[in-house]
Amino acid sequence: MSAAPVRARDTAVARFRSSFAAKLLLALAGSIAVLLLATVAAIRVQTGRQVAVASERALAQSRKVFAQQESDLRNELQDDAVRLAGSNRLPAAVDEAISSGSTDFLVQTTTYEMSLARIPQALTAYTDPDGRPLVALDGGHALPDPATAVPAPLIAWLMRNDTAFGAFGYHQAGARLYAVYATRLVIFGHAVGMLVVGTPVSDAIATSVGSGVGAEVCFVAGGRCVARTPGVGRGGLQARMVAAAGASGRGERVKWNGHRYQLGADRIATGAGMRDAWRVTAIPLDGVVAPFESIQRVALLVGFGCLGLAVLLGIVLSRGFARPVRALVAATERVAEGDYDVRVEVERRDELGTLAHAFNEMTHGLMLKERYRGVLDKVVSREVADELLKGEITLGGETRRVATLFADVRGFTALTEGMEPQRVIALVNEVMERAAAAVEGEGGVVDKYVGDEVMAVFGAPASHGGDELRAVRAALRIRASIEELNRERTLRGEPVLGMGIGINAGLAVAGNMGSHGRLNYTVLGESVNVASRLCDVARGGEILVVEPFLRSLGDALDAVALGPRIFKGISRPLEVYAVRGVREPAAGAEERARTPAAPIRAASGAVVAGVIAALALGASPARAQNLPTFKDLGVSWTSKNGFWQVTPSGRIDLDGYFPGGAPAWLVPSTRPFVAGRASLFVDLFAVNRVYGLVEARADRGEAPADRPVQARIEQAYLRLTPVPTANFSIEAGKFVTPFGGWPQRHNSVADPFIRPPLPYDYRTMISPFIVPGSAAAFASWKENPGFWRPIGAPIVWEAPYQFGAMAMGGWKTLGFRVGWVNSAPSSEPSEWNPDFNQKHAYSFVAHAGWQVTPELKLGVSYDRGPYLQDSLKGAPLPADENHVSDFDQRLWGFEASFARGPVQARGELLLDQWDVPNIEDPYPSDVSFYAETRVKLTAGLFAAARYSGIRFSRVEVAEGQFERWDYPIDRVQLGAGYQLSRTTEVRAEYMINSTSAPPPENDNLLSLRWSWQF
Amino acid sequence: MLRNRAAALLAAGLLAPALAAARPRAPVPAAGSIEGHVTFSRSNAARVANRYPGEGSGVSHRAGAVPAVAFIVGAVEGARPERAQHPTLVQQDTAFHPPVLVIPVGTSVEFPNRDPFFHNVFSYSAPKRFDLGRFPRGESRTVTFDKPGVVKVYCEIHQWMRSAIVVVENPYHAQIGEDGRFTIEGIPPGRYRLAVWDFDRGQKLVDVTVPPSGPARVDVAL
């Protein structure tokens, strides 16, 4: 809630980081991880190498196959060229075409000649002797632009090289790549033109190249794939292969269709000035890579297995190491706190076992020493014991200036007369405890107890300086402490104690006196005797000093002169003063510094508010808040014959409470805290005769508080309806009281608030444990400041879930419930459970309701039962009524509710009367009430306001004198809620309490709630 | 052979009265001549040695030399009519004889094979495209040339065989000697277009004005 847990988590993280466990884990996991990485890296490198070797081999092979293919192609084309150019006909036709300027006849002749030569699908082209394109045919059809079909670089090369018969190369025309052969056409030694024959580089060529090495082949020219093996397809691989053209040699590795390939490119176009054409080969790598991958998979699997094992091993080892270390640390802390009776159980033979054994021996030694020391402390004062333990035990002593204080209880003998011995001892011990605490608090030493008297020394065996003033302060503290004790005793109806105190200072002999077998450190001297005498004469509550002592402190003491006195054994009379107080400057500054740390409270409040606001707003889109219910999930059970049906449901509330600084009645905390409850309801139906309900609840107390979560069965009852058609049932078990108009609505959507109205929340001063001695004493309790006010019973407990039986029924618009339950409506949750030894406590409760109109409903309730508990304290019960069961609480309730449209209004009036021991008629009674309204503003949003109050009656404090037994108190609650979804809701409430009773503390309360019903 | 001679005799008999009839109108009022000189460029001549390996005979064949020809293009008014005797282009010793043949339009030429093996005479030239197919020794084919122009004649089987038939519309033509000189006489005065043609270098046209008497001199670079 506050910043502290966050810091705690941070330090926990930091502690883990620096812990042995973390280092061990890091070392084990780290080395395995490095090994794993190295293995994977090695496999990868080896894979890469193998891929390189295999792909180079396949590329070389494909080059060889292609070279053969290319050579065949070249020979074929050359044969065709020789055949065509070898006859006079084509040269004659070209000659004629050039001289006549018309190519028609050439085309005709060519077609004829080609068909004769059986070269049907070839590319044919002619140029004149200077290389200018004449005509081109593809598959027997003239191309519109012969220039595109003429491989200009080949022609140029041929024109430069007179003696060459022809030239082979590649030429791209349109979407096709041709292998072409150019040759000269000659008649009578005279070149009449050039002939080009070509055949397309077809898919068949790619396939025959690829099949030799099992690779995919793609011929790329002009940035497009012009021929390919069927496996290349039109998708990704083709694009990657086209992209690979442009750089000779091994290219990238690609993945396509689940297969891996190594790409390689070779430039096939030869001859200067030729456009680039490439043969791209994709060598399948699956067969090469697969074995390595399976090795890598196994390595990874084994590696991660080892990693997990290492982490596990690290945890086990470090646990085995950390547990004894933690045990040793815990034991050391206990030793540091002073508990030497601690042993470390480490059943080990290793170094830790040795350490634990040594530790145990050490604590055993310490324990023995401390035990001796403890005995010594009880016999002599701690400081004397220190001196003794230092070994400076000397008989005789030294003369020191000391202040001595004597205090004893006035009239102790009379007080304890007729008292049981145990109670006497208890009383003496309580007084001595308080006196000793005061003395030690001021640095003094309790020298000895003599009966009801305490002797204390300041300045011996060691002086803390200002011993006189310390003695006076100790006396004042004793007096204050006894006054405090007296207040408690008054409440309990016991007589008050008076303590007389005498203080003096002067030279005294201090030392160990007695025999060697039994020494007693003490001080002796006249000044000591004077202090003792002063104590003897001091009245209850008086602190007496003599004039020299007073003077020795200057004007530090506020004292009243009582006149001279003669003391036994003292020669001269001494002026005696009664000390009223110490004049100390600048008192109270310290007090202010101790006020609660308001900023911390504000900060923690803000955190809780943030959490609830986040739940309310952060997660809303409404759908996110639309958490499912058991019904949505279909969780329910029906017996086979349909006789029984069991249906679960639940509700979770998450509350944040922000007290204004003082407890707001049933909320005891003064700091913000988170509470709430989780309830699981199980409904049981048997035909229509039996109904049962069990509610299991976990919360931080019936009334929310900053304490551990507890779980219990809140309700468990069975209801039997003997005649299903008649409106009558009987019910038994633990159920919420039928009394009043609020408990049944408690923790349900019908209640628009988080906290109850005052009558169900305010703790009256009528206590089930403390009995007042008289009406006057009772009436005076209300004046006690906050802390001293008895925390009594509420008028009705927030929502009593009592144990009992009830009958209920109805007729037309009337309904009733009548029952007996095991405790009064005001009784605490501890009284609700069945306790069959508690015979007295049965309480009668009844409720009647009338539905006047569909909108208006009226009800009246009555409850009567004993509220006192057996473990009473304080004044005794009157002799004639000596059973706690004779004292009843009587309670009437009148309620009305009204609903029309978006407005709902409710009101309730409670008349309450108590039988209180030692108080005669008129008995203490009170009137309490509340009125509330709730308005639905929009779908899901409502606002509500409630006013509640209590007025207390007068009791007779003296003959004819009446006084109210408590101040009136009022409460205003303002609330709002929002239905986030079908099942979740948030609401907020601010409560203002107002009373004229003495504690002017701020007991207002801000409450926030998120709830989910499922 | 006998039939050929008979045909030749028949043709001579038919033509004789025509020639006799033409002679009385022979006196021509005036006649000029053209004296020309052709300069042959080297560059357009065959660049490769014009020898072709014989088919299995081991004999090298020289490509047939075809003389250049000069002739006047178009019909000439008042020109004496030319009646050539029945012309033949003989294939003998894997060569055409004569190497060039000038004939008037409408003349039929016989292509007898006097070699002991097949020839296949053809021409792809525009004025007359023909392909006589393969025919053996002793057989002959006849082709009638009905358009003026130069027709290059080849044998498909023997690449070194070539000849040309120049189909003219007037009698004014001459073979150009090896020294490039030629003379055409008896031309009526007037303006003419003169074609100078060589098998390898092609044809060139020049305009010539022939005076009433005396030669017109022409220099042509081919």
Side-chain angles (χ1 to χ4, degrees):
Chain A
M1 263 120 286
S2 68
V6 178
R7 260 202 313 276
R9 198 166 56 238
D10 284 350
T11 55
V13 169
R15 206 181 310 139
F16 175 76
R17 275 199 196 135
S18 60
S19 72
F20 173 74
K23 284 171 190 156
L24 189 66
L25 274 182
L26 190 68
L28 281 171
S31 44
I32 301 245
V34 167
L35 193 67
L36 188 60
L37 284 178
T39 309
V40 170
I43 292 171
R44 295 225 149 181
V45 167
Q46 204 54 38
T47 313
R49 228 174 254 168
Q50 280 304 313
V51 165
V53 168
S55 48
E56 283 301 343
R57 193 178 298 152
L59 279 178
Q61 181 68 22
S62 80
R63 262 181 223 126
K64 224 159 101 185
V65 172
F66 178 70
Q68 184 58 47
Q69 285 278 332
E70 193 177 52
S71 151
D72 291 351
L73 209 55
R74 178 193 198 113
N75 291 340
E76 231 166 76
L77 285 173
Q78 192 173 351
D79 286 352
D80 292 344
V82 166
R83 197 179 318 163
L84 291 176
S87 149
N88 272 346
R89 284 179 183 272
L90 280 181
V94 168
D95 184 43
E96 166 56 25
I98 292 169
S99 56
S100 70
S102 162
T103 58
D104 293 349
F105 183 73
L106 178 58
V107 169
Q108 196 184 321
T109 309
T110 305
T111 312
Y112 176 68
E113 290 297 322
M114 299 289 270
S115 69
L116 278 183
R118 297 185 190 281
I119 316 171
Q121 290 294 327
L123 177 81
T124 322
Y126 300 97
T127 70
D128 68 10
D130 299 322
R132 282 186 291 274
L134 276 178
V135 67
L137 293 98
D138 191 3
H141 301 284
L143 296 174
D145 180 9
T148 59
V150 173
L154 275 187
I155 302 293
W157 181 88
L158 208 54
M159 282 167 68
R160 280 197 304 277
N161 295 273
D162 273 351
T163 51
F165 178 75
F168 175 79
Y170 293 89
H171 176 70
Q172 191 193 355
R176 302 174 96 175
L177 180 72
Y178 294 91
V180 289
Y181 191 88
T183 188
R184 213 175 263 112
L185 291 175
V186 174
I187 301 178
F188 306 104
H190 182 69
V192 294
M194 302 285 185
L195 166 71
V196 176
V197 285
T199 184
V201 176
S202 62
D203 288 353
I205 291 174
T207 304
S208 73
V209 172
S211 63
V213 287
E216 304 295 345
V217 174
C218 174
F219 287 94
V220 179
R224 62 210 283 186
C225 177
V226 294
R228 58 180 181 268
T229 49
V232 173
R234 292 206 170 273
L237 186 57
Q238 177 172 316
R240 304 291 283 275
M241 291 176 84
V242 167
S248 282
R250 201 144 56 84
E252 56 172 348
R253 276 168 74 176
V254 299
K255 194 160 185 183
W256 168 246
N257 243 352
H259 300 289
R260 271 148 306 186
Y261 298 95
Q262 171 69 57
L263 297 187
D266 286 301
R267 195 207 297 260
I268 55 171
T270 56
M274 213 148 194
R275 284 181 74 184
D276 281 352
W278 298 81
R279 187 185 77 256
V280 182
T281 313
I283 296 142
L285 292 182
D286 286 347
V288 182
V289 177
F292 288 96
E293 278 183 336
S294 94
I295 292 172
Q296 180 170 321
R297 254 199 309 279
V298 170
L300 278 177
L301 207 67
V302 170
F304 279 112
C306 286
L307 203 61
L309 211 61
V311 169
L312 211 65
L313 197 68
I315 289 169
V316 168
L317 280 179
S318 61
R319 276 264 173 93
F321 184 78
R323 203 180 298 128
V325 169
R326 269 204 295 275
L328 277 164
V329 168
T332 311
E333 278 168 1
R334 283 176 66 189
V335 169
E337 283 162 11
D339 178 6
Y340 300 102
D341 203 9
V342 54
R343 282 186 62 81
V344 185
E345 299 298 336
V346 178
E347 300 279 328
R348 296 166 75 124
R349 283 158 179 269
D350 59 8
E351 292 81 349
L352 284 169
T354 314
L355 179 62
H357 183 69
F359 179 85
N360 285 340
E361 292 199 341
M362 179 191 77
T363 52
H364 184 68
L366 282 173
M367 186 189 71
L368 285 180
K369 197 172 169 191
E370 189 62 18
R371 202 173 279 168
Y372 299 146
R373 169 72 186 259
V375 171
L376 208 54
D377 275 350
K378 280 180 187 135
V379 179
V380 298
S381 88
R382 187 160 298 153
E383 290 192 24
V384 177
D386 283 342
E387 293 285 318
L388 290 174
L389 283 170
K390 276 183 207 160
E392 294 160 1
I393 306 170
T394 49
L395 278 175
E398 51 179 340
T399 305
R400 300 180 70 104
R401 184 174 169 82
V402 298
T404 37
L405 177 152
F406 287 84
D408 81 346
V409 179
R410 289 295 88 113
F412 184 77
T413 320
L415 185 70
T416 56
E417 208 169 31
M419 243 171 139
E420 292 162 21
Q422 287 90 339
R423 290 189 69 176
V424 174
I425 295 296
L427 182 60
V428 169
N429 284 351
E430 189 166 9
V431 171
M432 293 306 163
E433 194 71 45
R434 285 166 185 260
V439 167
E440 280 167 11
E442 290 297 338
V445 166
V446 174
D447 187 84
K448 60 173 74 76
Y449 301 105
V450 180
D452 60 336
E453 190 184 55
V454 183
M455 176 186 169
V457 182
F458 296 82
S463 171
H464 299 287
D467 295 313
E468 290 87 346
L469 199 56
R470 288 173 182 278
V472 174
R473 281 210 200 99
L476 289 168
R477 281 169 85 153
I478 292 170
R479 186 166 72 179
S481 175
I482 296 300
E483 278 169 7
E484 196 180 282
L485 177 65
N486 281 340
R487 275 199 291 275
E488 289 171 36
R489 289 176 65 79
T490 310
L491 286 180
R492 300 200 295 246
E494 290 165 357
V496 295
L497 304 172
M499 199 154 206
I501 301 172
I503 306 171
N504 199 17
L507 290 175
V509 176
N512 291 292
M513 291 157 217
S515 66
H516 263 286
R518 189 187 152 88
L519 287 171
N520 193 2
Y521 185 89
T522 190
V523 289
L524 294 174
E526 195 195 77
S527 70
V528 179
N529 293 343
V530 169
S532 175
R533 301 288 176 272
L534 284 169
C535 174
D536 289 345
V537 300
R539 287 181 297 171
E542 270 187 344
I543 300 167
L544 298 187
V545 296
V546 290
E547 192 263 339
F549 179 85
L550 187 69
R551 215 164 355 100
S552 73
L553 286 173
D555 62 347
L557 297 188
D558 174 12
V560 181
L562 298 180
R565 273 281 170 111
I566 293 170
F567 294 99
K568 198 171 108 189
I570 309 291
S571 53
R572 60 203 151 85
L574 291 170
E575 201 72 34
V576 176
Y577 289 83
V579 176
R580 288 201 301 210
V582 176
R583 292 195 189 96
E584 281 182 285
E590 198 187 345
E591 199 64 29
R592 268 199 301 280
R594 256 189 276 134
T595 51
I600 291 178
R601 196 162 54 218
S604 55
V607 170
V608 178
V611 167
I612 293 190
L615 280 171
L617 305 169
S620 74
R623 194 166 299 177
Q625 285 281 343
N626 200 2
L627 299 167
T629 64
F630 279 129
K631 198 176 167 191
D632 297 340
L633 302 173
V635 180
S636 95
W637 178 82
T638 309
S639 70
K640 271 181 191 159
N641 53 13
F643 195 81
W644 300 98
Q645 191 191 337
V646 176
T647 312
S649 60
R651 179 184 169 104
I652 288 177
D653 293 332
L654 182 62
D655 299 349
Y657 293 102
F658 307 89
W665 305 108
L666 283 187
V667 174
S669 187
T670 58
R671 283 168 179 267
F673 65 98
V674 170
R677 58 203 62 73
S679 289
L680 176 69
F681 303 92
V682 179
D683 288 284
L684 176 130
F685 302 92
V687 204
N688 44 9
R689 284 172 193 274
V690 178
Y691 167 74
L693 172 72
V694 176
E695 179 191 353
R697 187 186 285 187
D699 58 22
R700 306 183 79 181
E702 194 77 51
D706 189 2
R707 62 178 150 228
V709 174
Q710 45 180 256
R712 63 187 171 280
I713 300 295
E714 193 75 286
Q715 306 188 64
Y717 62 82
L718 274 179
R719 180 185 296 166
L720 177 66
T721 307
V723 184
T725 51
N727 187 0
F728 177 79
S729 309
I730 51 174
E731 183 177 300
K734 194 170 181 287
F735 49 83
V736 68
T737 187
F739 182 89
W742 195 79
Q744 296 86 28
R745 289 195 284 139
H746 157 80
N747 277 349
S748 80
V749 289
D751 177 32
F753 295 93
I754 300 169
R755 298 299 306 147
L758 261 182
Y760 296 89
D761 195 23
Y762 180 74
R763 288 193 166 230
T764 69
M765 280 189 301
I766 293 172
S767 163
F769 307 106
I770 299 172
V771 173
S774 67
F778 175 62
S780 71
W781 284 357
K782 67 176 183 289
E783 306 298 342
N784 286 346
F787 185 73
W788 296 107
R789 280 173 76 99
I791 304 276
I795 294 167
V796 183
W797 180 267
E798 188 173 0
Y801 290 97
Q802 296 149 323
F803 187 75
M806 186 163 71
M808 63 187 85
W811 180 69
K812 295 195 174 171
T813 56
L814 299 174
F816 74 90
R817 281 171 280 169
V818 183
W820 281 265
V821 292
N822 66 340
S823 51
S826 61
S827 54
E828 303 275 319
S830 59
E831 302 291 304
W832 300 343
N833 290 321
D835 176 4
F836 297 105
N837 296 324
Q838 198 181 13
K839 297 191 181 75
H840 59 268
Y842 290 98
S843 168
F844 172 79
V845 61
H847 178 273
W850 178 28
Q851 189 81 46
V852 185
T853 69
E855 294 156 345
L856 178 67
K857 191 177 179 182
L858 301 177
V860 57
S861 325
Y862 177 72
D863 197 336
R864 176 177 183 156
Y867 68 95
L868 286 177
Q869 294 205 355
D870 290 329
S871 53
L872 272 182
K873 288 178 186 169
L877 297 179
D880 55 335
E881 299 165 301
N882 51 6
H883 290 294
V884 290
S885 58
D886 292 340
F887 298 89
D888 280 348
Q889 180 193 13
R890 286 178 295 279
L891 196 58
W892 284 94
F894 304 93
E895 70 203 75
S897 66
F898 178 82
R900 176 179 282 173
V903 180
Q904 279 179 25
R906 280 175 187 273
E908 194 170 0
L909 176 71
L910 301 183
L911 304 177
D912 181 29
Q913 192 178 49
W914 311 78
D915 290 334
V916 179
N918 303 322
I919 298 180
E920 301 296 321
D921 193 25
Y923 303 114
S925 61
D926 50 74
V927 176
S928 54
F929 52 85
Y930 71 84
E932 69 179 46
T933 181
R934 163 201 187 123
V935 182
K936 190 175 169 186
L937 298 174
T938 65
L941 180 68
F942 70 83
R946 178 195 278 159
Y947 169 65
S948 52
I950 311 177
R951 301 292 178 264
F952 299 90
S953 72
R954 290 187 168 86
V955 292
E956 191 170 19
V957 293
E959 193 65 38
Q961 273 189 30
F962 294 90
E963 196 179 329
R964 294 199 183 274
W965 59 279
D966 201 352
Y967 293 100
I969 181 162
D970 296 283
R971 168 177 291 182
V972 173
Q973 286 162 277
L974 300 170
Y978 182 66
Q979 191 87 28
L980 292 174
S981 71
R982 190 167 48 86
T983 56
T984 56
E985 186 197 73
V986 286
R987 51 171 72 173
E989 175 197 316
Y990 191 68
M991 177 206 284
I992 303 160
N993 292 306
S994 154
T995 175
S996 52
E1001 290 164 321
N1002 178 8
D1003 52 3
N1004 295 344
L1005 176 71
L1006 170 67
S1007 317
L1008 302 173
R1009 168 173 292 174
W1010 172 83
S1011 54
W1012 169 31
Q1013 280 190 292
F1014 55 96
Chain B
M1 194 70 206
L2 190 75
R3 229 168 74 188
N4 283 353
R5 198 173 296 155
L9 285 174
L10 181 65
L14 284 173
L15 284 170
L19 288 170
R23 202 154 285 160
R25 285 200 265 150
V28 172
S33 66
I34 298 171
E35 279 179 17
H37 180 254
V38 178
T39 314
F40 295 107
S41 67
R42 287 264 335 133
S43 66
N44 278 345
R47 277 177 287 179
V48 177
N50 44 7
R51 290 182 180 279
Y52 292 82
E55 285 120 341
S57 64
V59 185
S60 281
H61 299 272
R62 199 179 148 77
V66 181
V69 177
F71 58 94
I72 285 174
V73 179
V76 175
E77 196 67 31
R80 59 183 158 85
E82 187 180 61
R83 284 282 182 268
Q85 72 274 36
H86 194 68
T88 54
L89 194 60
V90 178
Q91 300 127 54
Q92 196 165 6
D93 300 330
T94 62
F96 286 109
H97 301 285
V100 66
L101 187 64
V102 182
I103 56 167
V105 173
T107 307
S108 294
V109 177
E110 264 199 71
F111 293 88
N113 181 1
R114 304 234 170 105
D115 273 331
F117 39 76
F118 285 85
H119 285 290
N120 182 347
V121 180
F122 74 95
S123 172
Y124 285 166
S125 299
K128 190 69 189 178
R129 283 182 187 138
F130 61 93
D131 187 342
L132 302 181
R134 296 178 184 197
F135 55 97
R137 177 190 177 101
E139 285 194 15
S140 176
R141 298 283 190 274
T142 304
V143 177
T144 304
F145 297 85
D146 43 14
K147 281 182 191 156
V150 179
V151 176
K152 292 180 173 178
V153 180
Y154 304 98
C155 172
E156 195 218 352
I157 300 165
H158 307 101
Q159 291 172 30
W160 57 90
M161 287 172 69
R162 63 171 173 174
S163 178
I165 295 169
V166 182
V167 184
V168 295
E169 296 170 85
N170 56 61
Y172 307 115
H173 54 82
Q175 280 197 13
I176 301 169
E178 299 233 333
D179 55 356
R181 298 196 177 277
F182 66 92
T183 306
I184 307 172
E185 291 177 336
I187 306 170
R191 277 183 67 80
Y192 301 98
R193 175 157 287 182
L194 180 74
V196 179
W197 173 90
D198 177 76
F199 201 101
D200 291 324
R201 298 180 183 86
Q203 175 178 285
K204 199 161 205 179
L205 296 174
V206 287
D207 288 330
V208 181
T209 304
V210 178
S213 63
R217 297 200 175 273
V218 176
D219 281 319
V220 181
L222 195 64

